[in-house]
């Protein structure tokens, strides 16, 4: 990697770093004539410390392969994504990928203990330690986490893995409105605390669409808003007891109107199916614009209502669902057919409002090529300038992933 | 802050940022004629979102005051330190402070969701959001976390807080050797999993010294190595059950030879007293050199044995204790009296070995002024150059905390 980048830098050849090529913002797609530099062959597991749970591996290891490798040691990765079958840990690191486990185990800035990266000029930055605590000098590794291959190419990581849970439980709850659902979430934090592993929300529009267009059914009937709460723990009896008591408390306080609690893998799969198969079905309602935003919880669902009013008859439907526990909302808008006009009409309002509400226009997916134009809308001139300064320091010839991010 | 730094930068006046002034490496102490810029008056809590648990406050808030503030909302800070009565959250952030809660809640790179910092030229970098997921542009906030005030001064933070535990349990265990203690730690990860909140180790030399020089006693008698395992959870009955079963398993497998398990606050306090009052008593054995290192678990305790052999009759005693769960060892060496010769004799060997074993010469405490000379020993020339480049970009006139870190 060092030799490739050194050569490209000396000859002013632009490079597009690519891992599993599963990104959705075009960060790993060449725009003009960039040379694709793939990490695919850097796919070795280097070391696992079974006691500390620290895994050291090369950047090209596919996430699912790492999951499978760890399974034999009763360990698991701190990150899980829909794209796990092909995404690579180096790409996950470079995009600070989020996913379903983030609520429980935190983001990659917390879980990546060490990394090795190659700068644009071929120089190797070795931050490759396996320690939870290391305060020696500026924390250089974080420069490479989430910078989408624009400041260097990650070649190795050391990542904190966690014990595999012995018990997984699921609750599917129906609430009268979003405010009540938020109260149920807050109660979950108090009652379930350390065993919560996912808190997902889906609105009525989303579930109704699933009933109409797929073979799924709601196990509890028709409610304005639904919560899925998953727990993962080390003792099944304890976890069941906690979840049952939590459910009863939510019912007693009328935070939820109905619900079901299960530890059966087949029932859990059916419930998760409602949530996970959502995105792949919306195309049946026309062209779908999909957005991945974060919002403070107090404003989390307002944006869905507001977009419905704003769009009126211009859209078919506005769907709201997502990782409530992380404040991460997937808002998807179906229209009769794609047009640049309607896209601009949606995005100009949506991104402006998200910014006004102190949200994020890209929660998990990054900026890449597709959202680059919107970055200056949500970042101050000082922040943009600092990003450009960093880019110039790390990659003065601008060979690394040009036309992306900044 | 912006006006102060802008003035100092224009007039080439050096600045020493200072929070609670509790650092132990001289990072907050002026060396020559720097102007001390204190964050003491920036001490307001700005906002608490009770549902998400995100606290927004100014940099000068004292850690203990934040603990007390959150207590009323059944929340707690993700960080706890001995110096909490005077250290400030801005200083904690700038030094990436560690402490006892890190094992459970992760480090500040994971828990700081947003921050505001002022660059040397007075420009304000606003990364002030309260979102768990935000992948918009390079992750600038991490530049300021752990860079000890050399790259900017942190003025505000948004920090993820956690539900206050309803149950705290403690186990004090005696083992035959460090290898067995490690097995007991690994078993704890499997059996106690999500409820572990601290894993501490103390060697026989340390405990024996405490018996001889203080009014403490071991509740379980005399063993070569001791573990303290603390759990924090949301259900007392469940946690007691887990801890009792864990203890029984460790006894059955001979990982530990004896132990005691308690939920009594007074007994817990007595046990924690053994651990927490250690450092303040070593002076009774002569002059004490204190080191704060991290090591991979497989080599964690070897360094204590090795230093004993290396020093022979040059030292009185070598004490080993620390945050085993984080791989963080406090090794303290008592000698008859201080001399530069003995200090150099110790440090040249200790830091060389720590580096060879892929450890860290400063786990929690940072580099500051006192360890600056050792940084090039443990960082590659490429890493040192990148740190210097960052310093030049962020602070071209070198006014921010000069003579520190790099």
């Amino acid at each position: 990697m060092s030799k490739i980048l050194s050569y490209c830098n000396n000859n002013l050849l632009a490079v597009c770093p690519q891992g599993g090529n599963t990104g959705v913002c075009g960060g790993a797609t060449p725009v003009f004539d960039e040379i694709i530099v793939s990490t695919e062959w850097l796919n070795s597991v280097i070391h696992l410390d079974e006691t500390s749970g620290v895994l050291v591996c090369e950047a090209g290891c596919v996430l699912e392969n790492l999951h499978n490798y760890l399974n034999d040691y009763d360990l698991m990765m701190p990150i899980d994504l829909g794209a796990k079958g092909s995404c690579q840990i180096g790409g996950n690191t470079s995009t600070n990928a989020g996913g379903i486990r983030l609520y429980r185990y935190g983001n990659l800035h917390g879980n990546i203990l060490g990394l090795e990266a190659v700068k644009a000029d071929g120089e190797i930055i070795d931050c490759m330690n396996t320690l939870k605590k290391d305060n020696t000098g500026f924390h250089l590794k974080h420069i490479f986490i989430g910078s989408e291959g624009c400041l260097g190419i990650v070649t190795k990581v050391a990542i904190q893995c966690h014990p595999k849970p012995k018990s997984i439980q699921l609750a599917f709850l129906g609430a009268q409105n979003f405010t009540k659902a938020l109260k149920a979430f807050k109660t979950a934090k108090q009652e379930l605390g350390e065993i919560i592993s996912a808190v997902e929300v889906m609105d009525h529009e989303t579930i109704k669409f699933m009933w109409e267009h797929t073979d799924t059914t709601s196990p509890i009937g028709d409610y304005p808003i639904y919560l899925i709460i998953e727990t993962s723990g080390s003792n099944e009896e304890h976890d069941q007891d906690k979840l049952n008591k939590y459910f009863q408390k939510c019912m007693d306080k009328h935070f939820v109107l109905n619900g079901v609690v299960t530890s059966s893998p087949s029932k859990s799969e059916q419930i998760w199916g409602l949530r996970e198969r959502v995105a792949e079905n919306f195309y049946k309602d026309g062209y779908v614009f999909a957005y991945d935003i974060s919002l403070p919880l107090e404003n989390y669902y307002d944006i869905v209502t507001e977009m419905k009013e704003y769009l009126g008859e211009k859209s078919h439907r506005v769907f709201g669902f997502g990782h409530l526990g992380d404040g991460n909302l997937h808002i998807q808008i179906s229209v009769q057919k794609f047009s640049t006009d309607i896209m601009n009409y949606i995005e100009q309002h949506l991104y402006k409002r998200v910014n006004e509400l102190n949200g994020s226009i890209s929660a998990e997916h990054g900026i890449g090529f597709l959202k680059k134009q919107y970055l200056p809308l949500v970042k101050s001139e000082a922040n943009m300038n600092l990003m450009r300064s960093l880019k110039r320091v790390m990659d003065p010839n601008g060979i690394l992933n040009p036309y992306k991010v900044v």
Side-chain angles (χ1 to χ4, degrees), chain A:
Chain A
M1 187 64 81
S2 173
K3 282 183 182 167
I4 290 168
L5 291 188
S6 171
Y7 180 86
C8 290
N9 191 50
N10 290 334
N11 293 281
L12 300 180
L13 297 168
V15 160
C16 174
Q18 199 174 85
N21 203 12
T22 60
V24 294
C25 294
T29 314
V31 180
F32 294 111
D33 59 355
E34 301 96 294
I35 295 161
I36 294 175
V37 176
S38 168
T39 48
E40 193 178 332
W41 290 351
L42 298 172
N43 59 4
S44 303
V45 169
I46 297 167
H47 183 249
L48 173 68
D49 181 329
E50 288 184 59
T51 309
S52 68
V54 179
L55 174 76
V56 179
C57 68
E58 291 180 329
C61 290
V62 170
L63 183 57
E64 192 163 43
N65 295 348
L66 296 176
H67 276 288
N68 295 340
Y69 174 83
L70 291 168
N71 200 42
D72 295 341
Y73 301 92
D74 283 331
L75 290 167
M76 53 172 264
M77 292 291 280
I79 177 173
D80 195 8
L81 300 180
K84 67 183 165 193
S86 39
C87 69
Q88 297 172 8
I89 192 66
N92 299 150
T93 304
S94 302
T95 58
N96 186 36
I100 202 98
R101 297 255 169 87
L102 191 139
Y103 180 82
R104 173 70 166 268
Y105 299 105
N107 65 30
L108 289 179
H109 282 284
N111 283 299
I112 297 282
L113 301 185
L115 61 73
E116 179 193 79
V118 183
K119 276 171 61 198
D121 62 3
E123 198 168 47
I124 297 167
I125 301 297
D126 178 0
C127 307
M128 202 57 210
N129 75 43
T130 60
L131 310 166
K132 275 176 179 284
K133 289 182 178 173
D134 177 29
N135 279 343
T136 50
F138 305 154
H139 292 212
L140 299 177
K141 70 179 180 221
H142 298 279
I143 292 176
F144 303 100
I145 301 175
S147 53
E148 303 187 41
C150 294
L151 303 179
I153 301 186
V154 174
T155 46
K156 279 183 204 160
V157 300
I159 189 161
Q160 180 67 59
C161 303
H162 300 277
K164 199 170 66 174
K166 292 175 191 158
S167 149
I168 296 177
Q169 314 287 323
L170 206 62
F172 186 67
L173 309 170
Q176 197 179 349
N177 54 46
F178 181 71
T179 308
K180 298 254 181 182
L182 257 196
K183 285 183 180 167
F185 169 39
K186 195 180 166 189
T187 309
K189 292 181 82 166
Q190 288 157 353
E191 299 295 315
L192 303 172
E194 63 277 7
I195 62 169
I196 301 177
S197 53
V199 181
E200 298 288 312
V201 71
M202 298 172 77
D203 65 6
H204 184 256
E205 192 83 277
T206 303
I207 291 234
K208 191 165 141 258
F209 183 83
M210 288 294 284
W211 293 339
E212 287 170 12
H213 291 86
T214 71
D215 59 353
T216 53
T217 52
S218 160
I220 58 166
D222 214 4
Y223 296 95
I225 201 127
Y226 299 85
L227 283 180
I228 299 175
I229 295 187
E230 188 196 67
T231 66
S232 302
S234 54
N235 185 306
E236 179 149 36
E237 196 188 318
H238 294 169
D239 294 0
Q240 279 176 348
D241 186 42
K242 282 193 185 84
L243 195 58
N244 286 330
K245 281 181 183 152
Y246 161 69
F247 175 50
Q248 199 52 53
K249 191 166 184 177
C250 284
M251 289 293 284
D252 292 347
K253 295 204 164 196
H254 308 290
F255 296 158
V256 305
L257 296 170
N258 197 1
V260 63
V261 168
T262 182
S263 61
S264 141
S266 65
K267 279 192 190 156
S268 299
E269 206 174 308
Q270 187 198 337
I271 293 168
W272 272 121
L274 272 169
R275 165 68 184 85
E276 286 176 342
R277 291 174 50 203
V278 156
E280 70 200 56
N281 280 287
F282 287 150
Y283 75 93
K284 294 172 184 165
D285 201 40
Y287 186 86
V288 182
F289 293 99
Y291 301 99
D292 162 47
I293 61 177
S294 280
L295 285 168
L297 290 178
E298 65 214 50
N299 307 114
Y300 183 88
Y301 194 70
D302 295 344
I303 196 85
V304 178
T305 318
E306 192 180 313
M307 287 307 289
K308 274 182 194 163
E309 283 167 16
Y310 169 77
L311 286 163
E313 299 204 340
K314 286 193 170 72
S315 71
H316 281 174
R317 310 197 210 203
V318 180
F319 304 101
F321 62 97
H323 314 296
L324 178 65
D326 305 326
N328 181 189
L329 178 70
H330 296 299
I331 178 167
Q332 305 212 344
I333 297 163
S334 61
V335 296
Q336 199 174 349
K337 63 173 193 166
F338 174 85
S339 82
T340 315
D341 282 354
I342 183 74
M343 183 178 78
N344 289 338
Y345 186 75
I346 293 170
E347 296 189 356
Q348 274 163 19
H349 187 76
L350 180 68
Y351 288 155
K352 185 173 131 281
R353 287 297 291 146
V354 168
N355 196 36
E356 283 168 359
L357 295 168
N358 298 313
S360 169
I361 64 164
S362 188
E364 312 185 292
H365 295 165
I367 295 298
F369 182 66
L370 297 179
K371 292 187 183 172
K372 189 186 167 193
Q373 60 176 314
Y374 294 109
L375 197 59
L377 293 183
V378 298
K379 296 288 174 189
S380 71
E381 192 52 33
N383 285 35
M384 290 300 297
N385 283 338
L386 182 50
M387 287 187 216
R388 291 184 194 113
S389 300
L390 272 181
K391 175 72 177 168
R392 276 192 298 271
V393 165
M394 302 295 295
D395 177 20
N397 294 334
I399 66 156
L400 274 179
N401 229 3
Y403 332 113
K404 314 284 170 65
V405 189
V406 291

